[in-house]
Amino acid sequence: MSLLMTFLLPLMASLLSTFMRGRLLVGFNLVASFMLLVSAGQLLINVAQTGSQSFRFGNWPLPYGIEFYADGLSAILVMSIAIVAVVVMVFLVYWQSFLEKPAYFPLMQGVVAAAVAVSLAADLFNLYVWFELMLMAVLGILVTGSKRWHTEAALKYFVVSMLGTLLMLAAIGMIHGITGQLNFTALREAAQRPETGGALSLYSGVLVLALLVKIGAFPLFAWLPAAYHTLPAPLLALVGGLLTKVSVYVLLRLSGQVLDISLYHQAIGWLAVITMLSGVLGADYHRDLRRILAFHIVSQVGFLLLGVALASPAGATGTAFFLFHNILVKANLFLIAGLIWLTTGHYDLRRTCGLFPARPLLAVIFLLSARSLVGVPPTSGFWGKLLIIKETFHQQHYVWGGAALLTGLLTLYSMSKIWLEAFWKPCPKPHAGAAVPIPVYGALIFLSLLILFMGLAPEPLIAFLQAQQGNHWGAG
C-alpha cells in the first residue's frame, strides 16, 4: 500500500489544490508533503526488509497490465523526491509572493507526483506518459510567472522538450512493433532472443537519444540555464534538483536492466566528457547565482552519464550514489541562492557582499554544500566522484577520468567565486534584507545533515546500492 500511496498523495494534492486559496492552500500542501515523506520512508523500510514491491493496476496479468515496481534504487529515489518536496514546501510557507500565484502549488505537486510515477513505472508507455506530465507541469510553472522572460524560457523549454518527446514516442512505437511488448521484464527477455535482439538494440538507440535530449546533454543543453534561472528559488530547487536526475535514473535503469545499449556506451562516454566541461566552463563564466548553479546541473549530468557509459556494477553503484547526493546538494544550493536574494536583493555576485558576518549560519551551510558539489573529502560528492573516477581508470579510460578530475577543479573555481564575492567580500553598509525564519534554517540544516551523513558514513548506502545490482524489473 505504501508503494501506491507515494504516488496517490502528491497526485491528489495536485488535484485538490486547484480548489484552495490562501493559508489553507499552503497548509494543505505542507501536510501532504510530510505525508509523502512518511509514505516514502515506509516504502523504503518495506523494500529493505522484505525485498522489491509490485502493484498491478486493475490486477491485469503481466506483461499486459500497468505495473508499478519498487526495489532499493527506486525506493531511495522516491525518498529523495519526498525530502526535496518537504524542504521546498517549508520555504514556500515563508515565501509570501507565492500566495499571489496559487497555481504554483498544484503544478509543484504535479511535478512531484509525475517524478514518483516515473521512478516506479515498469513499462515503457507508462514511463512515457508520466515523463510527459512531469515536463508539462514544469512548463506550467514556467509560464505562470507571466513575465516576458518567463514566456521566452517556456518557449525554449517547450521546443527542446517536444523534440525529446517525439523521439521517445517514435522509439517506443518501434520497440513495441518489433517485440509486441512494453513491460520491462518482457523487453529484457526479448533483448536476449536472436530474432528480436538486434533490431531492439538499434531502436533502443533512438530511446537513448530522446533521454539525452531531456537530460540536457551536449549540445542540446542551452535550454536549461536559459529557462531555469527565471524560476523563483524554491521552485528552482525542486525542478533543478529533480528533473534531469530523474531522467538519468531512467537511462541508468533501462541500460542496466532492460535494454542492451552496449553499442552506444563509447558515444555516451565521450558525450559525458564534453557535457562535463561545457557545463563547468559555463558556470565559471557567469556571475548570476542561478545561471552558475544551472550550468553546474549540466556539468553534474556529465558525471552521471560517465557512470552510465562505464556499464559495470561498480559504475552503476557510483552513478546511483552520485545521483542521490546531487539531488540533495543541488536543491540545497538553489535554496541558499534564494536566501542570498532575500538578504541582498540580488542574484548577481557583483552586487552581493558581506554575507559571512551578516548570515554566518548560512555561510556554514553553503560551505558544506559547495564542498560536496566540488567533491572535497570526506563529503558525499567526494565518494560519488571517487566511485565513478576509480572505475573509469580501472577500465583504462584515462581521458574520461582526466576530464572528470579537471571538471572538479573548475567546479572549485566557480564555488570559490561565490564564496569570495557573496560571503567574504566586505560590504560598505549592513544588509537591510528580511530576517530568515527559523523553520527555513531548519529545512536547510535538515538537508545539510543528510549530505553530511552521506559523506561521513557512505558505507551503508554504497553496500545497499551494490546489493541492488542483481535486481530486475517487474514481477513477471
Side-chain angles (χ1 to χ4, degrees), residues 290-370:
R290 296 165 299 178
R291 288 185 181 271
I292 291 172
L293 296 176
F295 270 104
H296 274 305
I297 292 177
V298 177
S299 176
Q300 303 302 302
V301 158
F303 270 99
L304 292 166
L305 288 177
L306 181 59
V308 172
L310 295 173
S312 67
T317 299
T319 304
F321 187 95
F322 191 80
L323 177 74
F324 302 129
H325 134 83
N326 202 246
I327 288 174
L328 302 182
V329 169
K330 292 304 297 188
N332 217 25
L333 285 170
F334 279 123
L335 293 173
I336 291 168
L339 292 188
I340 291 175
W341 177 80
L342 281 179
T343 303
T344 66
H346 301 287
Y347 285 108
D348 192 333
L349 291 179
R350 292 165 293 191
R351 306 178 71 180
T352 58
C353 56
L355 284 171
F356 179 67
R359 299 281 189 268
L361 180 56
L362 184 64
V364 172
I365 294 172
F366 170 79
L367 273 180
L368 174 63
S369 291

Side-chain angles (χ1 to χ4, degrees), residues 215-246:
I215 285 169
F218 181 90
L220 295 176
F221 65 81
W223 63 269
L224 197 154
Y228 278 14
H229 81 283
T230 64
L231 292 171
L235 293 179
L236 180 53
L238 179 76
V239 174
L242 297 182
L243 196 62
T244 54
K245 265 66 76 177
V246 170

